[in-house]
Amino acid sequence: MTEQTTSRPAFGAPTMPLRATDYGFFGPGSPTWKVWTAPTALIGFQRAVTLEHFDPDLTASVADVGGIYSDPYGRLDHTFAYFLIAAVGDSRMAVSAADHLMKVHAASTGIEPISGKRYNANNPASQLWIHVTGWHSVLKCYEMYGPGTLTPDEEQRFWADCVVAAELQTCRPSDVPTSRDEVHDYFESVRPTLCVSERARRGMHYLLHTPLDRGPRVWASSRLVAPAAIATLPKWMRTLGGFDQPAAVDVAYRAATRAAVSNMSRSPELMDRLVSKAIGPMTGGLYRQHRHAGTPTFAHTVTVADARAKYLGAPGGAGTAAYPDGVGASH
């Protein structure tokens, strides 16, 4: 059981514009903006939150706090909103959201039952697993179902951006992969530490096939997207997680998903509605703001360190009041 819990106020949305102060850390034209705002990011997100459960400490945290079971729609909306803010929000919004998320995670601590050791959701190794699987998943789905592969220069910049985004959490930037080959090496290096348990499989299958009693929207969206997400995974992950599917389903879903993504890409309004219904109103609102945001006060990108110094006072300092509790709190 967790040793400390926090009360969660009602579901809300960020209280300031997505890009008022600057272009954040990556800016217009960056591969990060393209990949994280593509329709394929919805599939990549489901893939990433499912893979989170291969880390036993994260499984313990998710299971002990139980947010995905009591409010899956809200929890997933808040989590995707955080990723989106980090990718395309201005620096003030991003560092404020990250500061709040670290405080939420700091309250999630307890005993991991398999090893009997203490876990903390802010552990750098666990945060690195979340970060790498998130960025890798959205790129994998972008390549498989969306516009296709990035150019070599774009891919190099995408992984450089991934290192920058890791500065928002407790990851050590030196541990973050900086290329596709390093991502593969990372997965091979951590594979011996990954495992599943009854609680892990429960979480994975709940996210892939959310029960109808949790609401028709989250039920339908999880089941429609799940086969596409599974089709991107290697055989060993499917077997370990107990959610493999026939090769014929992979082939059929790849073709159908590419067609659906193409249609959504041609209709931003359809994308807005889909995101709001499939993920939630907070994420949908951020997507709309991203499409309609004007030029910020400072029309340039900034560094995470400078943003923290300016808006939090110091690295790890007290955050602003720009976010209600819940943004990014997936547990």
Side-chain angles (χ1 to χ4, degrees), residues 156-176:
Q156 182 178 19
R157 183 176 173 186
F158 180 83
W159 291 116
D161 289 353
C162 177
V163 177
V164 172
E167 296 178 38
L168 291 167
Q169 294 302 313
T170 61
C171 310
R172 288 181 286 268
S174 60
D175 292 339
V176 184

Side-chain angles (χ1 to χ4, degrees), residues 10 22 45 51 54 99 104 108 112 119 126 135 158 165 183-184 191 207 221 226 228 241 262 301 305 307:
D22 50 50
F45 175 67
L51 296 186
F54 282 124
D99 186 63
V104 171
S108 180
E112 195 283 304
Y119 74 79
S126 293
W135 280 68
F158 180 83
V183 171
H184 292 163
R191 184 172 173 178
L207 289 165
S221 61
S262 179
T301 58

